[in-house]
């Protein structure tokens, strides 16, 4: 029974779980023994009834959490900055043959521009006369004119008033002459997407990229090597940009033409453009943007009449338009039905230059142009034409 005078000691003894009875004759605490660890119930009772020797210890007050500064918004890293999507380049079109394999088998063997008898007679005359020295001197002067350096690329536009006038043949002759005499790259552009024949005339076998395609691809940072990867390579450092792949419906607008010509001008010393026939919009833009113009016309009465009307129209334009224009009268038959020289004088009265391209059997066949098969008068006439047109282009910046 608990002692009323020492009730606190009895409670502590019960709480500590003493192993032996208290000492006889005393009501004090038991002998000193190692205390056993309190149980959960005892710990709870200790908290509720603290003894006099163990005052209650207040629970520590948690320190207030330090006030955090508001987080600053970090700038996005370069990896996090969204980049605008780059425009996708058009996929590479499939290569197409210029001439169908079945149709190519129908072509006959190309013949020379002049018959054998004419060539033999001319060779004999040169032996007994002094014309050979004069021809050599003239060719030397012509070559020097064609080899003049340029500060910016020269663009020469070739067009006509109607189809069948020989403009593609003239463009091919000009481009071939410039590529032969000049050291810088020469470009031939077909700006006539309506089934033009310039690739056939220049001997191209397959076509892929066209003028309209390149308008969406060419960029200012491209090198010459990058650009020529989209072109058709020709002999003697010449390149071809076709206007179509031989498909009906190919279109070329003025904005695409301007983008291509402005971008390619710095890569090539001379660019010859085979334009559409007048009055097509692209042809008018090409004539106004070029430094020299060539107007092809057949040596026929209707060809000379329509060309004369065009020259009269050009007289109403700024003076440099007619001054930088050369008319090429091409004879499509051995014996034309008009006086070619008299017609040339009439056309010269407008202020334009006029050259006569004689009849040549090789040109009249309409196949691949091979300069070694051209008649000598044709080669000389084409070289003189190229030199005069190039000099006219040098006068216009």
């Amino acid at each position: 029974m608990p002692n009323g005078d020492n009730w606190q000691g009895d409670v502590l003894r019960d709480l500590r779980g003493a192993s032996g009875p208290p000492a006889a004759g005393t009501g004090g605490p038991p002998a000193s023994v190692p205390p056993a660890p309190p149980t959960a119930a005892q710990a709870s009772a200790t908290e509720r009834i603290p003894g006099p020797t163990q005052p209650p210890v207040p629970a520590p007050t948690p320190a207030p959490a330090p006030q955090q500064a508001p987080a600053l918004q970090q700038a996005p890293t370069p990896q996090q900055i969204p980049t605008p999507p780059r425009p996708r380049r058009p996929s590479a079109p499939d290569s197409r043959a210029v001439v169908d394999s079945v149709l190519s088998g129908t072509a006959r063997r190309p013949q020379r521009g002049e018959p054998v008898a004419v060539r033999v007679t001319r060779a004999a005359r040169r032996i007994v006369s002094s014309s050979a020295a004069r021809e050599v001197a003239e060719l030397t002067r012509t070559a020097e004119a064609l080899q003049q350096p340029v500060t910016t690329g020269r663009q020469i536009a070739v067009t006509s008033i109607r189809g069948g006038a020989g403009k593609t043949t003239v463009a091919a002759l000009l481009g071939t002459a410039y590529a032969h005499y000049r050291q810088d790259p020469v470009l031939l552009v077909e700006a006539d997407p309506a089934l033009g024949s310039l690739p056939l005339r220049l001997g191209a076998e397959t076509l892929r990229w066209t003028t309209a395609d390149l308008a969406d691809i060419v960029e200012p940072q491209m090198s010459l090597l990058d650009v020529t990867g989209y072109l058709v390579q020709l002999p003697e450092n010449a390149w071809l940009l076709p206007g179509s792949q031989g498909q009906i419906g190919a279109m070329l607008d003025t904005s695409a033409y301007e983008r291509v010509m402005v971008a390619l001008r710095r890569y090539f010393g001379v660019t010859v453009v085979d334009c559409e026939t007048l009055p097509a919009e692209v042809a008018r833009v090409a004539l106004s943007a070029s430094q020299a113009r060539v107007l092809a016309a057949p040596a026929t009465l209707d060809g000379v009449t329509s060309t004369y009307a065009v020259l009269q129209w050009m007289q109403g334009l700024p003076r440099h338009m007619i001054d930088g224009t050369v008319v090429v009268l091409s004879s499509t038959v051995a014996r034309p039905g008009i006086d070619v020289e008299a017609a040339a004088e009439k056309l010269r009265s407008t202020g334009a230059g006029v050259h006569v391209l004689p009849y040549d059997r090789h040109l009249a066949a309409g196949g691949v142009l091979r300069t070694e098969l051209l008649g000598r008068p044709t080669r000389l006439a084409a070289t003189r034409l190229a030199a005069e047109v190039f000099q006219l282009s040098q006068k216009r910046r």
Side-chain angles (χ1 to χ4, degrees):
M1 180 176 180
N3 189 358
D5 299 332
N6 195 17
W7 62 269
Q8 291 180 346
D10 294 338
V11 172
L12 291 176
R13 184 175 62 253
D14 293 340
L15 293 175
R16 293 173 180 173
S19 60
T26 64
S32 174
V33 294
T39 63
Q42 294 171 343
S44 176
T46 305
E47 293 176 0
R48 292 194 300 269
I49 308 175
T53 58
Q54 294 182 358
V57 179
T61 304
Q67 187 176 2
Q68 297 181 355
L72 297 178
Q73 185 176 3
Q74 297 181 354
T77 60
Q79 293 80 2
Q80 296 174 342
I81 299 176
T83 57
R86 297 183 63 183
R88 296 182 59 185
R89 292 184 178 181
S91 56
D94 298 330
S95 297
R96 295 177 61 91
V98 176
V99 181
D100 186 84
S101 57
V102 177
L103 295 177
S104 61
T106 62
R108 294 181 177 179
R109 181 179 179 181
Q111 58 181 348
R112 290 186 173 273
E114 292 180 303
V116 177
V118 175
R119 298 199 303 271
V120 172
T121 303
R122 179 179 294 107
R125 290 177 178 175
R126 293 180 63 200
I127 294 175
V128 299
S129 65
S130 59
S131 60
R134 291 195 300 270
E135 288 183 3
V136 171
E138 181 183 0
L139 287 175
T140 301
R141 291 191 300 269
T142 303
E144 292 176 352
L146 290 171
Q147 294 171 353
Q148 293 178 4
V150 295
T151 55
T152 57
R154 304 287 90 187
Q155 295 180 2
I156 299 169
V158 183
T159 186
S160 62
I161 192 60
R162 62 180 179 83
K167 70 176 180 63
T168 300
T169 299
V170 173
L173 288 173
L174 289 175
T176 303
Y178 295 135
H180 177 71
Y181 284 98
R182 299 191 60 81
Q183 299 297 324
D184 46 11
V186 175
L187 177 64
L188 291 99
V189 176
E190 186 180 39
D192 186 1
L195 300 179
S197 58
L198 185 61
L200 172 62
R201 278 303 217 180
L202 295 173
E205 297 181 356
T206 58
L207 304 177
R208 174 170 290 184
W209 301 96
T210 64
T211 307
D213 295 332
L214 200 59
D216 300 327
I217 297 174
V218 66
E219 297 176 354
Q221 67 271 19
M222 283 185 172
S223 64
L224 176 62
L225 185 61
D226 296 330
V227 172
T228 54
Y230 298 98
L231 307 177
V232 180
Q233 187 171 8
L234 302 173
E236 295 184 315
N237 205 25
W239 305 87
L240 167 67
L241 179 57
S244 68
Q245 288 187 326
Q247 296 175 328
I248 298 177
M251 298 297 294
L252 178 65
D253 55 19
T254 56
S255 61
Y257 173 79
E258 290 175 350
R259 290 199 305 271
V260 169
M261 299 306 294
V262 171
L264 298 183
R265 181 176 179 178
R266 65 188 183 95
Y267 299 103
F268 301 93
V270 180
T271 300
V272 179
V273 185
D274 182 14
C275 302
E276 294 178 289
T277 56
L278 290 172
E281 187 176 3
V282 175
R284 296 200 304 270
V285 171
L287 290 178
S288 60
S290 59
Q291 285 78 40
R293 289 149 293 279
V294 177
L295 192 61
T300 59
L301 182 58
D302 60 337
V304 172
T305 302
S306 58
T307 303
Y308 183 72
V310 172
L311 294 176
Q312 288 181 316
W313 166 73
M314 293 181 67
Q315 285 180 318
L317 302 177
R319 183 63 188 179
H320 72 270
M321 292 292 294
I322 193 71
D323 290 342
T325 300
V326 176
V327 178
V328 179
L329 286 176
S330 302
S331 299
T332 56
V333 293
R335 189 176 180 85
I338 62 172
D339 187 344
V340 178
E341 291 301 329
E345 288 299 325
K346 181 63 175 179
L347 297 177
R348 289 191 186 99
S349 64
T350 60
V354 180
H355 279 255
V356 177
L357 195 62
Y359 172 74
D360 191 284
R361 295 188 308 177
H362 179 65
L363 290 181
V368 178
L369 176 61
R370 297 175 55 180
T371 55
E372 70 274 12
L373 298 181
L374 293 175
R376 184 172 184 81
T378 305
R379 290 200 303 270
L380 294 176
T383 306
R384 297 189 192 102
L385 171 65
E388 180 175 345
V389 173
F390 180 73
Q391 288 180 329
L392 289 176
S393 70
Q394 290 282 67
K395 296 179 181 180
R396 180 69 179 174
R397 299 299 176 184

